[in-house]
Amino acid sequence: MITSKDNPRVKRWAKLVQDARARREEGRLVVEGPHLVAEALQAGLEPVALMVSESGLARTDVQKLLGKRDPVVLGDRVFKVLADAESPQGIAAEIGLPRIEGKGDCVFLEGVQDPANVGAILRTAAAFGIGEVVLDRACADPWAPKALRAGMGGHFKLAIRQVFEIGQVVESFAGTSLGTVVSEGTALPAAQLDGRLGWIFGGEGRGVTDDVARRASMRIRIPTRAGTESLNVAAAAAVCLYEAFRRRQESGL
């Protein structure tokens, strides 16, 4: 059992938890908690290492996940270094960043800075059949612990990539790109949502920038009650993605 926070392996895992650059450079990340570990395993992402806290060994859900795998046991105090959540859940895994081929519809995120919003959008995208999510560098890191928790495993069903400048990617998208705006766009219920779609959602506060909106094939607005401010970006994404999903379900596509 490892009982020191200065252990080299523990320090490296802690860096993967805290440092987006380390995750990119190594192509590795740490997921924490039975649900995320289970989702990673279900997606075929066999852990490079499984880390279990001393008290976690007594948990039935942790024992079930371990199976015949041999974990690295950490003292409870040491395990907290790997757990971004306030209440550690006793198990974590080091896995490789998933490499999934992007197919079908796409979501583009511009400047979405709250990792909880990023994670919620990824969860929604996975639920409604999106194949790929492209974020610009102004977005929160999608593999940050808070984004992973909010994503609830949706990360492992999507092709996720970050690019420096998203406008060019939108412009080259092979399909209909839809820039979501507060006003002066086609109302969502009246919009044609046929073929391959690329939804563009902007950051908290400013929304989609004019430069990116100009590159979209169409501008879409969500009708709301008069006097209502714009929706939270994660809520807006849920409304739009569900509407496209619903129409396809009804048409049998």
Side-chain angles (χ1 to χ4, degrees), residues 203-238:
E204 302 85 354
R206 71 175 187 176
V208 177
T209 62
D210 290 340
D211 175 64
V212 172
R214 280 194 297 268
R215 303 181 192 225
S217 308
M218 187 189 309
R219 297 189 185 199
I220 298 290
R221 63 178 176 84
I222 300 172
T224 57
R225 183 178 180 180
T228 304
E229 292 192 15
S230 60
L231 295 174
N232 165 273
V233 62

Side-chain angles (χ1 to χ4, degrees), residues 99-144:
R99 304 297 181 189
I100 299 173
E101 183 181 353
K103 296 180 180 179
D105 289 354
C106 183
V107 165
F108 300 100
L109 300 183
E110 182 192 20
V112 180
Q113 297 178 344
D114 185 339
N117 279 335
V118 169
I121 293 169
L122 292 171
R123 181 180 183 181
T124 298
F128 294 134
I130 299 299
E132 181 178 18
V133 177
V134 183
L135 310 88
D136 69 3
R137 286 296 182 191
C139 287
D141 178 24
W143 302 106

Side-chain angles (χ1 to χ4, degrees), residues 4 17 29 197 223 236:
S4 172
V17 170
L29 70 147
L197 304 177

